[in-house]
Amino acid sequence: MAGSDGIVPKYLRISEHLRDLIERGELAPGAEVPSERELAASWKVARPTAAKALNMLRQQGIVASRRGSGTYVAERPAVMRESAPRYGPASESESVTVLGAEMLEGPRDVTETLGLPAPSAVFTLKMLCENNCGDDRLVTCWYPGEFAEGAPSPDPGVVARSLEDAISRAAAVVRESVGARLAAEDERRLLALPDPAAVLVVHRVVLDGRGVALEYRETVHQPGRPAVTREYPARSAADFRR
């Protein structure tokens, strides 16, 4: 089960395996994950190694322990939360200005990403987020119109939770891509950028357990902002030889 030994520590391989099960929905929110003893036996490792793997997932907010009971998948795993992952410095004081919240015909790239026929109505939420770290950014969220009609709040977290409750389908996988391009005219105006100016752009798609898109989000960052640094085990050393 553990696969061939390599330079990647076993506790990282164990935690990555459990994370994959959670992201694929094989371990649903609230489900009990294998115990230290079970992991140690199935992966043929010492219990401290199994404990380290579970602790890594606890620190990430993906699982939680219940005293005298066991370890369970968090009801809202950190890998699905609004704040994870984060690009640029965190700020405790941030103001959010809602620039628009409306139902409209979605652009082709949006409807294609959401798996909708063109044309289709989508609920669009656009915000300007400003903080004292100098990491102002523009955030645009798109939701399938049939899911988000009557959204009670312009806050994206509230919209997402309301959407999950309304359709009884929770987020299971988050896919992100990061790129750069020249800022559009309205982006330069809102972020006070010169012409021309390059911006960091993060695209994020949230999928349910069946692979159906629930949300598509674009975040435009000012140039010169640091990107998040993450460390994780490679699925295969061959990935680095391509």
Side-chain angles (χ1 to χ4, degrees):
M1 181 176 179
S4 59
D5 289 335
I7 61 173
V8 177
K10 278 196 172 181
Y11 80 90
L12 284 178
R13 299 214 301 273
I14 296 171
S15 64
E16 178 71 359
H17 172 73
L18 293 173
R19 184 186 179 110
D20 282 348
L21 294 178
I22 294 168
E23 290 185 345
R24 293 200 303 266
E26 294 183 34
L27 284 175
E32 186 173 6
V33 302
S35 66
E36 293 176 12
R37 179 180 56 79
E38 292 169 332
L39 289 172
S42 60
W43 287 79
K44 297 180 173 57
V45 297
R47 284 192 63 169
T49 300
K52 191 172 183 179
L54 289 176
N55 190 52
M56 185 176 184
L57 296 177
R58 288 190 198 98
Q59 292 176 348
Q60 295 171 345
I62 297 173
V63 303
S65 295
R66 300 177 190 170
R67 181 169 297 184
S69 177
T71 302
Y72 298 80
V73 179
E75 291 300 326
R76 291 183 63 81
V79 289
M80 321 304 175
R81 289 179 186 160
E82 290 298 317
S83 60
R86 169 119 182 170
Y87 296 83
S91 172
E92 295 183 356
S93 57
E94 180 171 82
S95 64
V96 177
T97 302
V98 176
L99 304 175
E102 57 184 334
M103 194 79 70
L104 48 76
E105 183 176 312
R108 180 172 293 275
D109 63 319
V110 172
T111 55
E112 287 181 353
T113 301
L114 292 174
L116 303 174
S120 288
V122 298
F123 179 73
T124 305
L125 174 63
K126 188 169 185 177
M127 300 165 289
L128 173 63
C129 303
E130 302 172 283
N131 59 47
N132 55 16
C133 294
D135 181 31
D136 297 348
R137 58 199 187 282
L138 288 171
V139 179
T140 305
C141 305
W142 295 277
Y143 305 91
E146 62 180 308
F147 294 167
E149 285 183 347
S153 168
D155 179 270
V158 173
V159 171
R161 287 190 294 274
S162 299
L163 187 154
E164 289 182 357
D165 293 341
I167 63 177
S168 299
R169 289 185 0 229
V173 178
V174 175
R175 294 176 180 166
E176 287 193 334
S177 60
V178 183
R181 59 169 170 76
L182 291 177
E185 181 179 357
D186 64 325
E187 294 168 344
R188 295 196 305 270
R189 174 176 54 83
L190 292 166
L191 295 174
L193 301 177
D195 182 12
V199 287
L200 175 72
V201 182
V202 180
H203 287 113
R204 166 180 168 179
V205 183
V206 179
L207 308 171
D208 68 9
R210 295 183 296 173
V212 178
L214 304 180
E215 177 194 74
Y216 179 39
R217 177 179 301 198
E218 179 185 77
T219 302
V220 178
H221 292 262
Q222 293 173 308
R225 296 298 96 197
V228 69
T229 299
R230 303 178 70 188
E231 180 176 330
Y232 52 88
R235 295 183 181 275
S236 169
D239 293 341
F240 297 93
R241 295 196 295 268
R242 292 177 181 172

